Amino acid sequence: MDKLNFMGEFKDSALEDSFQRDKWPSVRFRLLFLYLVTIVAYIACGYSHYGDLGPGAEFHTILLGSLSACLLGSFAFILLWADKVSRRVQYFCMSLCMFSVMAAESLELLVKFSDIGSLSVPVTVFIVLAYYILLPPRIIMPFIASVCGSVLYLSVLATVLPVQSSSFLNSACYLVLANIFGAFFLYTFGRSLRREYAAMEDLKKLVAVDELTGVCSRRRVLEAGDCIFKSALRFNNKLSVLMMDIDHFKKVNDDHGHCVGDEVLKETASRCSDVLREVDHFGRLGGEEFLVILPHSGVHDGIKVAERLRSCVRERMFKVGESYLPVSVSIGVAELRGHGDFKSLIQEADEQLYRAKKCGRDLVCPASLKIVRQVQSNEVSVK
């Protein structure tokens, strides 16, 4: 299903906002360039108008329009350079600048028509196309500003000046075509950028999320663990990791089929995710093996979390068709204590997982203590 609406934007507002944030640095650079060119051009035009008209009323009229466009462009440039206001405000200022440029061109046409005549039309068309090409990939605001500016220009040409109907129609055709092609470019360019962005986001999800269980992928959880490990070393924070494995999972696949095995994996991941905190990282390393990273948690905290995970999997049977299947997990716990890298911390947790398997499964084994077994529903003892 197409993720884009009829305007070429994402139907999902959150995804559209994420896209706009991602593209903002390049959009900001283009707008800064556009404002700078506008400011420089109207300063130069002011000198040119003075040479053509001299210091009279006509020059002052054109100068007023040029200064208005120049000052508005300068204000928008400063706002954009500081980058302290929202993108919505920036887009509004951009549209306002676009309209002010068209208004300044209309004023120049009104004053200097006897000198420039229809020669001003190609310049105005160029301005319209330049704004469309350099604008951000949003179509409504620039389109409204450009159309309003074009209507203002054509109104001056049709109602105030003694222009022939054929010249007016030619000018109108030029501006209509400029807006059509500009809007079409902005629409198609925006759709292409969004489809590329959506494809990249889908690819990132494939890399970052395990497709079957919906938890972090092996690559993502290991990358996160490595960053958290380095941060814990630097700031002397506690860190624990859990290695969890579903008991007798091969037998589940052999007896009930891989489809049932997949359901067991998904349900196990879902139950464990509900137990963990938002700051914890939970990922599937492969097969039936999972890794849990517990920032700011010592070994005793790790044991408590591991027991909650073990209980939440064990306490309710897994429904398989019309029957119910008992599932349990074994968990190894390791705490950061003089480990050289994250890999060695995982290896220690893996050794405790192997120990829990060897001692009968459905157990939690911490690295610095002996086996922790749940004796009763709410009682944990250390043997």
Side-chain angles (χ1 to χ4, degrees), residues 78-205:
I78 293 171
L79 278 183
L80 189 57
W81 183 269
D83 204 17
K84 297 297 184 182
V85 298
S86 67
R87 291 190 303 276
R88 187 181 296 275
V89 174
Q90 297 287 7
Y91 291 152
F92 176 77
C93 289
M94 170 267 300
S95 300
L96 198 58
C97 283
M98 187 177 186
F99 179 78
S100 70
V101 169
M102 297 294 290
E105 291 299 311
S106 301
L107 187 60
E108 181 182 352
L109 175 67
L110 180 63
V111 174
K112 298 179 65 177
F113 179 78
S114 59
D115 296 324
I116 60 176
S118 60
L119 291 177
S120 66
V121 176
V123 176
T124 310
V125 169
F126 171 78
I127 291 172
V128 170
L129 289 176
Y131 264 83
Y132 273 121
I133 292 172
L134 294 174
L135 286 180
R138 306 199 78 159
I139 191 170
I140 294 299
M141 294 182 72
F143 180 74
I144 292 175
S146 180
V147 169
C148 290
S150 300
V151 169
L152 175 63
Y153 187 89
L154 291 174
S155 299
V156 171
L157 195 64
T159 60
V160 180
L161 301 175
V163 63
Q164 295 180 358
S165 59
S166 59
S167 298
F168 173 79
L169 288 175
N170 287 336
S171 301
C173 286
Y174 292 149
L175 286 172
V176 168
L177 288 174
N179 279 284
I180 290 175
F181 281 110
F184 179 75
F185 170 80
L186 207 58
Y187 175 77
T188 55
F189 181 61
R191 286 180 67 91
S192 298
L193 286 178
R194 286 175 174 84
R195 283 174 173 164
E196 180 184 355
Y197 181 79
M200 290 299 298
E201 288 299 300
D202 291 341
L203 182 60
K204 287 178 183 177
K205 287 181 181 179

Side-chain angles (χ1 to χ4, degrees), residues 287-352:
E288 69 275 21
E289 196 169 52
F290 296 86
L291 173 67
V292 183
I293 304 169
L294 305 173
H296 305 284
S297 301
V299 65
H300 292 285
D301 297 319
I303 291 170
K304 292 177 183 178
V305 173
E307 271 299 328
R308 288 201 297 268
L309 293 173
R310 190 189 68 81
S311 297
C312 78
V313 174
R314 183 65 171 170
E315 66 186 0
R316 287 187 290 115
M317 304 275 277
F318 285 55
K319 187 175 181 181
V320 180
E322 298 300 324
S323 58
Y324 290 86
L325 178 69
V327 176
S328 64
V329 293
S330 300
I331 305 175
V333 183
E335 181 185 17
L336 173 58
R337 288 183 179 178
H339 297 84
D341 54 25
F342 185 60
K343 184 178 180 181
S344 62
L345 182 60
I346 294 177
Q347 184 175 355
E348 186 172 6
D350 195 45
E351 290 172 359
Q352 298 310 311

Side-chain angles (χ1 to χ4, degrees), residues 204-217 220:
K204 287 178 183 177
K205 287 181 181 179
L206 288 175
V207 173
V209 178
D210 180 68
E211 186 177 6
L212 177 63
T213 60
V215 300
C216 291
S217 66
R220 179 70 184 90

